Amino acid sequence: MAASAVAAPAPVPAADAATLAAIEATCLDYIDGQLEADPARVARALHPDLAKRAVIGDTPDERLGLRRMSKDELVSLTRQGVLKTPKAQWDRSCRILDVTAETAVVRLETPWFVDHFHMGRFGDRWIIVNALWHPKPR
């Protein structure tokens, strides 16, 4: 049996600086808005039909279970200050993994969780359409 190989991460696809900056700004609106407890900032980063999910696995009620969250739920949690954190403790990074004319894939990492985003370009705006996340071990 042949050993499987893992490909090295590809470099960020060619995209102009303004596009990369706009994608990063959306990622930062998402996380910094939560850390500041600024629901308007979070809301502008999210598609109205956002699908935010976390894998929970099989449960008594569901096979291949997912924890699901909508845009409204995330904005409400932000309004409640659930992730509000003093700025001195912010440690987050947005890494753009792939970009096409209309879509982008981004990895957000914080000390608490990792999110993988699918973003769409709507006119001049980049918006998070899907987010698959997992908490980091404590």
Side-chain angles (χ1 to χ4, degrees):
M1 181 183 267
S4 63
V6 176
V12 173
D16 62 77
T19 297
L20 296 174
I23 292 167
E24 182 178 47
T26 298
C27 181
L28 293 174
D29 278 345
Y30 172 91
I31 187 58
D32 293 357
Q34 290 179 70
L35 296 174
E36 294 169 340
D38 182 344
R41 188 169 182 190
V42 172
R44 78 175 175 226
L46 304 175
H47 189 278
D49 196 27
L50 172 75
K52 181 173 170 71
R53 298 181 174 110
V55 173
I56 58 175
D58 292 345
T59 71
D61 300 319
E62 184 175 26
R63 172 135 169 72
L64 304 175
L66 295 171
R67 180 178 306 146
R68 296 166 179 87
M69 187 180 301
S70 68
K71 175 184 179 176
D72 291 343
E73 289 168 313
L74 183 57
V75 170
S76 177
L77 290 171
T78 301
R79 186 174 292 107
Q80 294 169 36
V82 170
L83 280 183
K84 189 167 184 173
T85 303
K87 196 161 192 166
Q89 296 175 25
W90 290 12
D91 182 15
R92 79 282 191 265
S93 65
C94 297
R95 195 168 109 216
I96 300 168
L97 304 176
D98 191 23
V99 181
T100 69
E102 304 297 329
T103 64
V105 178
V106 179
R107 176 188 164 100
L108 164 67
E109 186 164 355
T110 74
W112 313 284
F113 56 84
V114 174
D115 269 290
H116 290 91
F117 299 138
H118 290 141
M119 292 187 189
R121 191 181 82 176
F122 298 87
D124 293 333
R125 293 181 59 207
W126 286 89
I127 300 172
I128 299 166
V129 176
N130 297 311
L132 182 64
W133 70 278
H134 67 87
K136 287 184 164 179
R138 293 188 177 211

